[in-house]
Structures are given as structure tokens and as C-alpha cells.
Amino acid sequence: KNEVEQSPQNLTAQEGEFITINCSYSVGISALHWLQQHPGGGIVSLFMLSSGKKKHGRLIATINIQEKHSSLHITASHPRDSAVYICAVRSWGSQGNLIFGKGTKLSVKP
Amino acid sequence: NAGVTQTPKFQVLKTGQSMTLQCAQDMNHNSMYWYRQDPGMGLRLIYYSASEGTTDKGEVPNGYNVSRLNKREFSLRLESAAPSQTSVYFCASSVGGEDTEAFFGQGTRLTVV
């Protein structure tokens, strides 16, 4: 069983829709990261969180440490949000190393 | 501010050839990492360097070597490339420790034929 599981694997939405991507993990963590990867491009960090909720523009990330679960929400989705969203966790004692989920491929249609 | 710079962006090698992937960061970060990304799999750690002068194996180190040349630079070497090493390689860096943000390079797409 993977230590970091994301759902769904693929997601197609219409422009303007509210989107949720889920991440569950099975290890104790010091932080959880949400990353964005555009086609053919590099990887950009969106959020790093260890508790509660963070918001940046139309993106919101939440984490429930007790349930070992995090969600990434996109409000008023736009075609430029189309990308792969990756959840990664930093487990305790890992010397800072990240464990990655397989990613969620989001396509937003105009 | 360049962040993390990887070279080259694309490379095609023949089986058995060697090459070095270069990575440099200008953020004065202590820790640097090399990952590979394969279809249907999450990024997997090849090697990392927690600080200048130290390197450690990650999840998939076989067939690779690394050098932490100085605090800025962390190179990945394939001594004898194999088709199984066809992948996209990412270098990353962070300040270090348990709770720090990671910064990634643009990736190197390597094909071994």
C-alpha cells in the first residue's frame, strides 16, 4: 500500500466549477505539501501545511492531522488551472525527504 | 533570482554511455535532492544531500552516483546508462529540516535507447 494516496487520479471539470482533490497518508508527518506540475514544465510548491487551513487566491488547502487527510480546493476553476496536482508528505525523522503521491491530473474545459 | 537550475533539459543517450546531470541553487539551501518521475508513479528519491559534504542513498540509488560539489551544486551521474533509466529527473533544494518548503528545478527528460 502506498504511503500517500491521492484521489481522484483524473478529474475533468467545466470552467467555474469548485474542485476538490484529496490526499490520505499513513505515516506520521511534520508537514504536507501540495505541488503543481504543468505539462512539460517544472514543479511548483503551492502550499506547505502542518495544521489547519491555508488560502492563496482561489486555492485552499486543509489538513486534518488526526484523520491523516488533506484536501486541495480550487474555487471558480479556470482552464489555466489544468495541471497535475501532487501531494507530498515529510515524515518525522526523514531528514527532510518527501514521500509523494502519484498525482491528480486536472483538466478544466472552457 | 534563478532558484534551482538544472542542465540539460533534454538528453538522449545510447545504452552504456555515461553522463552527468547538473543542478545548482542560489538560495543558500543546505539540503539538495535528486528525484526521478516515471509514468503512473510518484516521484522517487534517488539520492540526497542533507548538507554540504554529505550524501545519502534514497529509494532508488542503483545505477547512479552523486557529488555535492559545494553548497550550491549537486550533480547526478549515470556511469553506464540503461533503458530503465529513461525518466524525467528533478533536482530540488530546501533549507533543510523537518518543516521547510522544497524548490524544484525544471526537470531533465532523459531517454536511453
Side-chain angles (χ1 to χ4, degrees):
Chain A
K1 186 181 187 298
N2 293 330
E3 291 167 301
V4 180
E5 297 273 5
Q6 287 185 238
S7 64
Q9 284 185 296
N10 294 282
L11 181 57
T12 300
Q14 287 299 127
E15 184 173 356
E17 285 185 356
F18 181 86
I19 288 163
T20 297
I21 299 170
N22 295 299
C23 176
S24 296
Y25 53 91
S26 58
V27 296
I29 68 167
S30 60
L32 182 142
H33 299 246
W34 282 103
L35 310 164
Q36 181 190 57
Q37 184 176 26
H38 280 283
I43 297 170
V44 176
S45 177
L46 297 175
F47 294 103
M48 181 182 68
L49 63 166
S50 55
S51 65
K53 175 179 171 178
K54 287 190 176 181
K55 185 175 189 287
H56 185 258
R58 294 179 296 106
L59 300 177
I60 303 166
T62 64
I63 189 168
N64 185 318
I65 295 293
Q66 286 73 30
E67 295 187 3
K68 296 187 174 176
H69 182 268
S70 175
S71 294
L72 176 68
H73 305 287
I74 305 175
T75 61
S77 59
H78 190 277
R80 65 174 175 267
D81 296 325
S82 298
V84 175
Y85 292 85
I86 301 170
C87 173
V89 302
R90 203 181 291 280
S91 62
W92 288 110
S94 66
Q95 296 193 357
N97 298 331
L98 292 171
I99 306 169
F100 294 83
K102 293 182 180 180
T104 295
K105 186 174 182 180
L106 172 64
S107 177
V108 181
K109 306 293 186 187
Chain B
N1 194 345
V4 180
T5 303
Q6 282 182 241
T7 55
K9 287 190 166 51
F10 300 94
Q11 183 72 49
V12 179
L13 289 179
K14 293 183 179 177
T15 298
Q17 286 186 316
S18 63
M19 78 161 295
T20 299
L21 280 65
Q22 307 286 353
C23 176
Q25 52 87 12
D26 61 2
M27 295 172 283
N28 201 36
H29 284 171
N30 295 309
S31 300
M32 298 185 74
Y33 311 85
W34 276 106
Y35 297 97
R36 61 177 288 172
Q37 185 180 40
D38 300 295
M41 304 185 75
L43 280 85
R44 291 181 293 168
L45 183 65
I46 305 171
Y47 270 93
Y48 66 99
S49 171
S51 61
E52 186 179 357
T54 67
T55 61
D56 285 286
K57 294 179 181 179
E59 182 184 353
V60 288
N62 290 346
Y64 306 96
N65 285 301
V66 290
S67 295
R68 184 74 183 264
L69 304 168
N70 47 55
K71 193 169 186 180
R72 290 188 64 245
E73 298 172 288
F74 188 40
S75 62
L76 179 71
R77 183 160 177 84
L78 286 71
E79 290 291 353
S80 178
S84 61
Q85 294 178 304
T86 293
S87 188
V88 180
Y89 291 84
F90 287 94
C91 177
S93 72
S94 69
V95 170
E98 298 288 350
D99 198 12
T100 59
E101 185 178 2
F103 294 81
F104 290 81
Q106 287 295 306
T108 297
R109 187 172 293 274
L110 174 67
T111 303
V112 183
V113 298

